[in-house]
Amino acid sequence: MEYSRPIYLDYNATTPVDPRVLDAMLPWFTEQFGNAASRTHLYGWEAADAVAHARQQVARLIGASEKEIIFTSGATEANNLALKGTFEALGAQKNHIVTVATEHKAVFDTCQHLEALGAEVTYLMPASDGLITLEQLENALRPDTLLVSVMYANNEIGVIQPIADIGRLCRERVIIFHTDATQAVGKIPVDVARDNIDLLSLSAHKLYGPKGIGALYVRKGIKLTAQLDGGRHERGLRSGTLNVPGIVGLGKACQLAGTSMLEEEKRLSILRDRLENEILNAVIDTHVNGNRTYRLPQTTNISFENVDGEALLMSFNRIAVSNGSACTSALIEPSYVLKALGVPDDLAHASVRFSLGRFTREADVEETIAHVRDVVERLRR
Ligand SMILES: *Cc1c(COP(=O)(O)O)cnc(C)c1O
C-alpha cells in the first residue's frame, strides 16, 4: 500500500530547494568545480566570479555592500561567529551582553557559553505576546554593555521584534547590534542601513536555498575575531574552501526572494489568515500564541486546550507540522519559547506551529483545516 506524503507546513524548519536555485547550482558541482581561491587558471577564476556574483545578490537583498558579507555554513555558525567573535575581540573592555529568552538555541546557548568565559548576560523576558519593549531594553543597558543580540523574527511564533528602534538605540549608545534574521530574510523586507544593524545572520535553507550555507553580514568597521584558523578566506574571518555550489544557490535564492517577496507575502498572509481563522472558528478552545500584528506573514502557532499534546502530534498524519518541543533523553520538554510567554506546560505540548511557504496551495490549507478539526474532535471525544 502506498501512502501519499503529508502536506508540508513546516517551512520554518526548512524549505525545499527551489528548482531554479538547483539549476543555478548544478554546473558548479561538475564542469565548473574549481576552487574559488585558485588564482592560476580558469577553473579558479570562474568559481571566484560566481562567488562574487552571489555575494552581490545576498548583499542586495539586505541593503548591504558585498564587502560586508561573510559566507558561513549556516546561521548557527554565523551566530557563533557574531557573538564569540565580538566577545573575543572586545570582551576585555566591555563584557555585558543583552539578549532575549526566546532566541534560537544558536544564540541562546552561545550566550551561555560566553557566560562561562566571563561574559555577563541579561536575558530579557518578552511579554505574553512574545515582544520585548524598547524601555525594557533601555533599562537593561549598562556602561559596560558590549553587544545586544535580538532576533528579527521568531521561528516558533513568528513575532517580529522592534528591530529598527533597537538598532537606533544601540547606535546612540555605541553598542554593537546583532540580529539573527534567519526567519526574516526573504520573507519580509530587511535593510541593515534602515535598521542600524551591525551584524546579521541568515541561512539559505530557510529561503529555498540548500542546507549547509549561510552568511554573516558584518558592517564595515566592526571588529570580530575569527573562530576558524586556516587559509584566511573571507577576509580572514572564516577560513575554509568556499562552498561554491552552496554560495551560488544562496545567491540565487536571495535574488528570487527579492523579486517575489511582496507578492508572496500577500499571498501567504491570506492563506495563513484563512487557516488560522477557520481553525479558531471550527475548533473551540483554541488560541493563537504571540502578537498577531507584528508577525511573519506565513506563520501561526495555535494552542489546543483539552487535548493531549503527544496524541495530537501523533494523530496529524496528513500534515507535517511541529510544536517546538525538544526531546532531552527520555523526556519531552515543552517549547522554551512558549514557556517564556507564560504558556503552561500541558498547553505548550498541545500547541502547533503551522508555517506556510512558496509551494503551499489553497487546497492544502482547506485539507489542513478539515484534518485539524477531525483530529481534535476525535481526541476530545
Ligand atoms: C534555522 C534557524 C537557525 C539555524 O540555522 P542553520 O543554518 O540551520 O544553522 C538559527 N536561527 C533561526 C531563527 C533559525 O530559524
Side-chain angles (χ1 to χ4, degrees):
M1 178 160 158
E2 218 182 297
Y3 294 91
S4 63
R5 299 169 69 75
I7 296 166
Y8 189 76
L9 293 174
D10 206 9
Y11 281 81
N12 287 12
T14 194
T15 60
V17 171
D18 188 296
R20 295 165 291 181
V21 169
L22 180 64
D23 281 346
M25 291 172 68
L26 283 175
W28 302 97
F29 286 104
T30 49
E31 302 95 69
Q32 295 167 290
F33 57 84
N35 186 325
S38 295
R39 298 288 157 78
T40 49
H41 49 67
L42 178 69
Y43 295 85
W45 302 331
E46 62 189 9
D49 280 351
V51 168
H53 181 60
R55 207 183 293 281
Q56 278 176 357
Q57 291 173 312
V58 176
R60 193 164 299 144
L61 184 62
I62 60 168
S65 136
E66 66 262 25
K67 293 191 198 75
E68 299 171 310
I69 302 298
I70 303 296
F71 290 115
T72 65
S73 62
T76 298
E77 188 192 336
N79 287 337
N80 271 264
L81 175 57
L83 273 59
K84 292 176 181 170
T86 299
F87 185 73
E88 210 177 309
L90 301 164
Q93 292 144 43
K94 293 177 170 186
N95 79 339
H96 178 233
I97 296 171
V98 181
T99 188
V100 185
T102 48
E103 290 292 315
H104 190 275
K105 287 287 180 190
V107 165
F108 193 86
D109 287 6
T110 302
C111 285
Q112 303 229 303
H113 178 100
L114 291 176
E115 273 187 285
L117 297 178
E120 284 188 58
V121 182
T122 301
Y123 299 91
L124 301 174
M125 280 309 271
S128 60
D129 69 352
L131 295 176
I132 61 161
T133 65
L134 201 62
E135 299 75 63
Q136 203 184 352
L137 174 63
E138 202 162 5
N139 290 335
L141 297 180
R142 314 193 315 210
D144 62 339
T145 304
L146 169 66
L147 175 74
V148 167
S149 181
V150 176
M151 74 199 311
Y152 210 114
N154 186 275
N155 44 303
E156 286 189 35
I157 53 178
V159 298
I160 299 171
Q161 298 291 356
I163 293 298
D165 294 340
I166 296 170
R168 202 175 316 116
L169 179 63
C170 290
R171 186 60 53 88
E172 269 167 36
R173 303 289 181 90
V174 200
I175 295 166
I176 297 168
F177 176 37
H178 167 254
T179 184
D180 176 354
T182 310
Q183 291 293 346
V185 171
K187 296 191 181 92
I188 55 172
V190 169
D191 189 316
V192 292
R194 176 196 67 198
D195 294 346
N196 287 307
I197 293 164
D198 296 313
L199 297 161
L200 176 147
S201 306
L202 62 91
S203 179
H205 77 97
K206 304 288 173 77
L207 68 149
Y208 312 98
K211 293 167 185 63
I213 186 73
L216 180 66
Y217 157 78
V218 182
R219 179 180 292 280
K220 187 169 183 282
I222 293 291
K223 284 193 183 55
L224 282 185
T225 300
Q227 300 299 302
L228 293 177
D229 296 306
R232 303 196 53 77
H233 305 76
E234 298 297 275
R235 297 196 286 116
L237 285 175
R238 205 281 189 174
S239 289
T241 300
L242 295 186
N243 171 1
V244 178
I247 289 168
V248 167
L250 170 58
K252 184 68 186 175
C254 287
Q255 184 244 317
L256 291 173
T259 57
S260 62
M261 188 188 309
L262 295 180
E263 206 177 304
E264 212 157 72
E265 209 181 334
K266 209 181 300 161
R267 187 183 77 88
L268 289 175
S269 68
I270 290 169
L271 287 183
R272 189 273 315 270
D273 289 349
R274 175 177 314 173
L275 176 72
E276 187 175 87
N277 290 330
E278 297 209 6
I279 289 176
L280 295 185
N281 284 338
V283 189
I284 57 160
D285 296 333
T286 51
H287 66 262
V288 174
N289 293 304
N291 190 290
R292 289 174 74 176
T293 304
Y294 302 103
R295 186 168 54 150
L296 292 173
Q298 46 59 270
T299 306
T300 179
N301 188 306
I302 300 179
S303 289
F304 297 86
E305 285 172 35
N306 312 319
V307 279
D308 176 66
E310 205 175 334
L312 185 67
L313 265 279
M314 297 286 285
S315 306
F316 282 149
N317 52 15
R318 289 296 310 127
I319 55 176
V321 289
S322 75
N323 77 344
S325 299
C327 300
T328 52
S329 62
L331 278 173
I332 304 176
E333 284 287 330
S335 154
Y336 68 96
V337 171
L338 295 181
K339 273 185 94 140
L341 268 56
V343 178
D345 282 9
D346 52 344
L347 197 54
H349 278 304
S351 301
V352 179
R353 175 185 71 187
F354 301 87
S355 50
L356 288 59
R358 188 168 289 168
F359 306 105
T360 306
R361 297 287 159 246
E362 206 173 313
D364 299 330
V365 168
E366 296 303 335
E367 194 176 334
T368 300
I369 294 163
H371 182 58
V372 169
R373 188 192 53 221
D374 292 349
V375 165
V376 177
E377 275 178 8
R378 178 159 51 79
L379 290 175
R380 281 180 180 165
R381 266 204 298 275

